[in-house]
Amino acid sequence: RGERAQIRRSNIVVAEPLVADDQIAKEFVAKLGDAELGRVFTSLVESLSLAGDLGLLLRVEQLVARQAKRGQTGDLFAPPEERIRAALDRFVREEASPTNTRRRLFADDAAHGIALLGVAEKKYDTVLMNPPFGEMPRQIQEYADTHYAEGRNDIYAVFVRRASELAARANGRVGALTSRAFVTGRDHRHFRRSLLADKDERLSLFADLGAGVLDGAMVETAAYVLAPPVADDDDEVIEFID
């Protein structure tokens, strides 16, 4: 054990609610001395209430970005999450007090939320996935109905649409192994359209694999790649038959 390198930081991010101590949270926001940054942090805490259920399906970066655009003070060159992280470090380092342990627990929880925000804000070259499939828990269904209307009929479709957002860049690719229900299912017609006509990521490669792929799982599968459309596709006409 002594010869092993110590892992000081990993790239594993846990999506979980920020169970904030209300008193400590209010104290932290007051000590920020920045009303706009305080609103960003408060919005982050509120939005993370669903993080344990939604994970990266939660578009937390959009909510924080909207709050940040309403007005900025302080160091305009540092993103809000970096300024909050620095403020958390200062908050914990303050003189010892009866609430010191509570402060550290609060800071640790908040750091998880900021790490999730950092992942959500990035754009990736490649996203590979074998997402869950089937009906969604109630709280996820309610969020999907509002934020992922084209994928609301099956949870795997929601994951695929979110992955295409995270990979939306010049050469970003999404590779997915999912149920093939979207190929012919009428309830999946909006998801099917989005795979063929999305302006950022659309269907590039498709393999209809059928049954017997996922060990004992009773589902027929398909493997496919989403990629940015090439310039020549701008005038392409796609006929949809549902």
Side-chain angles (χ1 to χ4, degrees):
R1 177 180 299 179
E3 295 177 357
R4 291 193 216 130
Q6 183 177 359
I7 300 175
R8 299 184 181 277
R9 184 175 180 181
S10 74
N11 289 319
I12 298 173
V13 175
V14 180
E16 59 185 4
L18 200 169
V19 184
D21 182 314
D22 288 342
Q23 178 182 341
I24 299 296
K26 290 177 181 178
E27 183 182 346
F28 173 70
V29 170
K31 286 182 176 294
L32 282 173
D34 185 328
E36 298 298 338
L37 196 59
R39 276 194 283 272
V40 170
F41 179 76
T42 300
S43 296
L44 178 63
V45 172
E46 292 173 352
S47 62
L48 285 175
S49 64
L50 292 175
D53 297 310
L54 291 167
L56 265 181
L57 296 181
L58 185 65
R59 288 171 169 158
V60 62
E61 77 283 2
Q62 295 183 4
L63 186 146
V64 172
R66 285 196 298 269
Q67 289 291 336
K69 286 179 180 178
R70 291 181 180 177
Q72 295 183 354
T73 57
D75 183 1
L76 298 180
F77 297 100
E81 64 270 20
E82 291 183 11
R83 293 157 60 196
I84 292 173
R85 190 186 296 275
L88 286 168
D89 291 339
R90 292 194 302 270
F91 190 67
V92 172
R93 287 198 308 267
E94 288 185 353
E95 70 279 359
S97 69
T99 62
N100 203 7
T101 301
R102 291 166 61 200
R103 286 185 179 190
R104 185 169 298 280
L105 291 173
F106 164 76
D108 287 345
D109 282 347
H112 279 296
I114 294 170
L116 183 64
L117 173 60
V119 171
E121 287 180 326
K122 287 184 174 66
K123 297 299 181 184
Y124 297 88
D125 296 308
T126 305
V127 179
L128 295 175
M129 62 195 317
N130 172 216
F133 60 90
E135 294 184 5
M136 308 177 206
R138 178 186 56 79
Q139 58 272 31
I140 298 180
Q141 185 69 66
E142 292 175 354
Y143 190 85
D145 289 346
T146 301
H147 297 275
Y148 298 98
E150 70 276 23
R152 61 180 301 275
N153 293 102
D154 199 301
I155 194 169
Y156 77 82
V158 175
F159 272 98
V160 172
R161 296 319 302 160
R162 178 56 164 157
S164 67
E165 294 176 358
L166 296 174
R169 55 186 302 163
N171 294 302
R173 299 287 192 275
V174 174
L177 176 65
T178 74
S179 162
R180 68 177 301 280
F182 70 90
V183 177
T184 57
R186 179 170 177 76
D187 288 345
H188 296 267
R189 62 190 183 279
H190 300 299
F191 177 60
R192 185 161 58 245
R193 286 192 179 100
S194 73
L195 293 183
L196 295 173
D198 187 274
K199 64 182 178 62
D200 295 317
E201 300 278 332
R202 64 178 65 168
L203 195 65
S204 173
L205 296 173
F206 176 83
D208 195 349
L209 302 178
V213 174
L214 300 178
D215 295 327
M218 301 297 292
V219 60
E220 293 187 345
T221 61
Y224 44 100
V225 174
L226 305 182
V230 297
D232 292 342
D233 287 345
D234 290 343
D235 297 326
E236 182 179 4
V237 176
I238 300 175
E239 181 178 357
F240 298 99
I241 302 175
D242 294 317

